[in-house]
Each structure stands twice: as structure tokens, then as C-alpha cells.
Amino acid sequence: RFTKESTMSNYPEKTYPYCNPKPATRWLHYTIYINITLIILLVLFQFSRILFVNQVTFGTEEARTPIATLLNFLAIHKDYILAIYLVLYFINGVQFLNWMYMSNANIRSFNIEGIRYTPIAASFGIFLPILGLIMPYQAMIEIWVGSLRLTNHPKSRAIGIISVWWISFWFAGISNMISARFLDSYNKEIFGYIFMLIACALFITSALTLISITRTISDAQAEYHAQHA
């Protein structure tokens, strides 16, 4: 564990109080799991629409009316699911910013040495042009390493999971934009659906790794605080 001398903060200008991260982490995970479920439903509905359109086009006259009715039903509910997903995605983003602020403040409350990013920079750095591509990633590494070292966690230097999270997050967004462009192009819809599946897989990968990262960090911070309370 860190000695008192090795954990002196380089930022004596402000003292940050410790805040139990587990409740915020738990709610963050709830919304992530719901978002994963919704994105899977949206993709399934999109592919179901393709199937039903083909059946309406090439099926028998008797099959067309009920299939068309079902297609309309799916289209209506897809809009509802998309609306719920967008609202929850916004809430999820706010929860994540709050979690980043709190977790960074917590490791500062433990007087860990060498933390470059302030809680504000760690949580809102993603909104800065260009710098937003790397700041959240670096801030998460600082929180991960600083928190896990407190409890001598064997994975304190295993930052590969953070790289998987961040790369998957950005490439999911890129794949989604490419998918939208292809879906708007005549006779190129198949590429749009391929990139849609890629985006979905990357989104789920990013979401699940974020759950693992935040749970591990929160457990380490709570354990260290309990030992020194």
C-alpha cells in the first residue's frame, strides 16, 4: 500500500471529500443494461422490417394484409423504443460524467500522487475539440491505476480493458454514421445493415467493458475507504 510520504498530493489547493461511489455506479449500470436491451431491439426490429417487406412484396395475397399490419405495428413501436433509447442515452451520459467527477475526486481525497486531471477536466474533457478524443481515456487510466493500487489489485497496470472501451465507443459511433449513409443510398442498403450490426457489436462491447471498469474502480475505492475509515 501507499505510505503517507508516497501519497502526498500535488494539488494542495483544494480538498475533495470522499463520496461512496457504489450507488452512482449501480444506477449507471442499470441504465447501461437497459440501453443494451433497447439497441438490440432496434436492430431486431430493423431486420424484421426487411423480412416483412419481402413477404409483403413477394408473398401471397392472403399473407399480405396481416404482414402489412404487423409491419406497421413494428414501425410505430420502433419509434417509441428509439425515443426511450435516446432519452436514456442522455441520462446515461450525465450519469457517466457524474461518475467520472466523483471517482477522480475520490482518489484525490486519498492524497494520491501524480493525478494530472482535475475532476472537472476528467468529466467534461470529452467536450473539448480534438482533446476530447484522448482526455477521457487518459483520465480513466489515472482513476483505474490510482484506485487499484490502493488495494494492491493485481490488475492495476492492466489498462487494456480501458483501451477496448474507448476504441469500441468511438468506432461504434463511426460505424453508425457509415450505416446511416449507406441506408440513405439507393441499392447500397446491404452495406448499411452490415455496418449497423458492426456498430451494435461495438456498442455492446464498449458498454460491457465500461460496466467492468466502473465496478472494479468503485469496489477498490470503497474497500480502501472502509479500511481507513
Side-chain angles (χ1 to χ4, degrees):
R1 286 180 170 79
F2 290 102
T3 63
K4 181 178 180 180
E5 291 77 17
S6 66
T7 58
M8 293 301 293
S9 174
N10 290 332
Y11 302 89
E13 71 278 2
K14 183 173 182 179
T15 300
Y16 292 90
Y18 170 81
C19 181
N20 182 10
K22 288 200 168 185
T25 303
R26 186 162 51 248
W27 282 107
L28 175 65
H29 292 174
Y30 289 158
T31 54
I32 290 176
Y33 283 127
I34 294 173
N35 274 337
I36 290 175
T37 302
L38 292 177
I39 197 68
I40 292 174
L41 285 176
L42 286 170
V43 171
L44 289 177
F45 278 10
Q46 187 64 35
F47 279 88
S48 296
R49 179 176 177 274
I50 300 171
L51 175 64
F52 291 137
V53 165
N54 288 336
Q55 290 191 27
V56 169
T57 303
F58 302 107
T60 63
E61 185 65 33
E62 293 76 13
R64 289 179 184 177
T65 300
I67 292 174
T69 302
L70 181 56
L71 176 59
N72 184 60
F73 175 83
L74 289 175
I76 293 174
H77 286 77
K78 177 190 172 185
D79 291 338
Y80 290 145
I81 292 176
L82 178 60
I84 295 172
Y85 167 77
L86 292 176
V87 171
L88 285 177
Y89 192 83
F90 174 79
I91 295 173
N92 207 176
V94 173
Q95 290 177 318
F96 174 72
L97 296 179
N98 175 67
W99 185 90
M100 287 288 285
Y101 183 98
M102 180 176 57
S103 298
N104 182 283
N106 279 347
I107 58 176
R108 285 173 172 273
S109 74
F110 300 142
N111 292 325
I112 295 179
E113 186 180 46
I115 304 300
R116 296 179 300 167
Y117 290 108
T118 64
I120 291 292
S123 55
F124 292 99
I126 193 172
F127 298 110
L128 296 177
I130 308 300
L131 294 176
L133 296 173
I134 192 66
M135 283 181 65
Y137 171 73
Q138 292 177 332
M140 183 67 87
I141 289 176
E142 285 189 343
I143 297 171
W144 173 273
V145 174
S147 300
L148 270 60
R149 278 183 173 180
L150 292 170
T151 57
N152 291 330
H153 198 288
K155 294 184 178 180
S156 62
R157 287 292 182 181
I159 63 173
I161 188 174
I162 300 176
S163 299
V164 171
W165 158 65
W166 193 237
I167 292 172
S168 298
F169 171 77
W170 279 108
F171 276 92
I174 294 171
S175 299
N176 189 56
M177 289 189 291
I178 295 174
S179 172
R181 292 292 295 272
F182 277 125
L183 289 174
D184 289 336
S185 301
Y186 182 70
N187 285 337
K188 294 183 179 179
E189 292 89 348
I190 183 62
F191 297 106
Y193 295 124
I194 291 173
F195 276 98
M196 181 189 298
L197 289 176
I198 294 173
C200 180
L202 289 171
F203 172 82
I204 293 174
T205 300
S206 177
L208 293 178
T209 51
L210 180 60
I211 288 173
S212 179
I213 291 167
T214 52
R215 178 184 292 119
T216 303
I217 290 173
S218 296
D219 288 346
Q221 291 184 354
E223 179 184 344
Y224 181 81
H225 181 261
Q227 292 173 351
H228 295 80

